[in-house]
Amino acid sequence: MTIIAAIAINDGVLMACDTRADYNGTAIYKAEGKIGTLTTPRGEKVLIAASGNSAILPTLLRHLKIGDTPNPESVVGADEWANAVAEAATGVLADANPPLLNTADSDNAAAFDGTALLAWRQHLWILHTHGVIRPADDVAVIGCGSEIGLGSLHTSRQLGLDPRAGLELAVRLAATYNSGCGVDGRGPLVHTTL
């Protein structure tokens, strides 16, 4: 299981994850974590992370191609760019063998077999099938224990805690109170768009 928390700050996004993975009932701690980096044609860093099916992130990192980024000060332009990334990600996950989309039923269309986050510069989105959503208050938490992490992040922000410290606390608390997550001696792994 996975816990990933992110917070957008003035000039970037901080994203942190736990490091525990379970394979056939055995817990191991991963060296690389659960957040990946893509690079734009101009060499800018884009963070992508996923919870749910463990094949989502490596498949996106291997096959997702992202285009040039817009003016970072344009929220509309950034959202259009992020929606194009979501559309491309949907195609990559649909084309995977086997597909990494939950099959459509009579009430719902096919959807990611998990949840993903996307971050570029100071912009943060929840990535879903064919589109993105900007999270309220520029904080997002996905995976197991997300309610604990989200509550912690909002509380840390209200109390004026340093964003990185608040992010690490959110991941630690979610990992502590949810048996599917965990951190080792390294603590939560933190990445930034900066």
Side-chain angles (χ1 to χ4, degrees):
M1 297 190 144
T2 298
I3 183 71
I4 300 165
I7 185 168
I9 52 178
N10 292 338
D11 54 354
V13 172
L14 298 170
M15 194 179 291
C17 64
D18 74 314
T19 54
R20 180 178 164 171
D22 289 313
Y23 293 97
N24 296 324
T26 301
I28 65 164
Y29 289 91
K30 299 173 66 166
E32 72 277 2
K34 302 171 181 182
I35 300 168
T37 301
L38 298 170
T39 305
T40 70
R42 293 185 206 157
E44 293 180 285
K45 186 191 303 186
V46 175
L47 297 179
I48 190 162
S51 66
N53 189 316
S54 62
I56 291 174
L57 184 61
T59 300
L60 290 176
L61 291 173
R62 280 192 306 271
H63 301 291
L64 182 61
K65 304 296 182 230
I66 53 177
D68 278 332
T69 53
N71 175 348
E73 303 307 315
S74 170
V75 172
V76 171
D79 285 349
E80 288 173 358
W81 172 83
N83 278 308
V85 171
E87 189 73 31
T90 301
V92 166
L93 297 178
D95 292 344
N97 187 15
L100 293 168
L101 298 177
N102 288 322
T103 57
D105 60 28
S106 60
D107 295 328
N108 299 303
F112 286 6
D113 193 14
T115 308
L117 294 178
L118 178 70
W120 166 68
R121 294 215 180 185
Q122 73 273 23
H123 302 281
L124 173 63
W125 301 275
I126 300 168
L127 188 68
H128 59 88
T129 311
H130 301 292
V132 295
I133 300 168
R134 280 186 183 268
D137 300 325
D138 294 324
V139 297
V141 182
I142 61 173
C144 64
S146 59
E147 295 87 1
I148 296 166
L150 196 57
S152 176
L153 264 182
H154 280 286
T155 301
S156 295
R157 192 172 236 189
Q158 288 292 320
L159 295 174
L161 194 62
D162 172 74
R164 184 182 179 109
L167 193 66
E168 290 180 6
L169 178 61
V171 171
R172 282 185 187 282
L173 286 172
T176 298
Y177 294 106
N178 190 301
S179 63
C181 304
V183 293
D184 57 12
R186 298 171 292 167
L189 300 184
V190 180
H191 296 255
T192 180
T193 59
L194 301 174

